[in-house]
Amino acid sequence: DVVRFELGNIESPLEVTLHSILGQELFTEKVEANGTLTLTLNPTWQGTLFVTFKGNFGTVTKKLLVR
């Protein structure tokens, strides 16, 4: 599965972290924001996941439901 996030005019760089509902870190990476961020999800990652974006703006966490 692929997930896309529209980031707008957020300043780079961003740290993106993906966690399971149990708090297990599944993915972390520093990225350069260019308006859209695309993440390819591992097929074994299912259920409720949390994506956290950290940057100059602070920290934002979004919930994903993956089937």
Side-chain angles (χ1 to χ4, degrees):
D1 289 331
V2 174
V3 179
R4 289 184 182 81
F5 295 94
E6 294 297 327
L7 302 175
N9 294 326
I10 294 176
E11 295 181 27
S12 293
L14 291 176
E15 182 178 305
V16 180
T17 308
L18 184 67
H19 287 89
S20 72
I21 196 165
L22 300 175
Q24 178 184 12
E25 185 175 293
L26 303 174
F27 172 86
T28 189
E29 187 173 318
K30 288 193 178 189
V31 298
E32 296 294 322
N34 61 358
T36 302
L37 173 66
T38 302
L39 295 177
T40 302
L41 302 178
N42 184 315
T44 63
W45 299 343
Q46 294 185 0
T48 303
L49 305 177
F50 295 93
V51 179
T52 302
F53 302 94
K54 291 183 185 176
N56 294 338
F57 55 87
T59 302
V60 174
T61 301
K62 297 291 183 182
K63 180 169 63 171
L64 293 176
L65 298 176
V66 181
R67 298 177 193 196

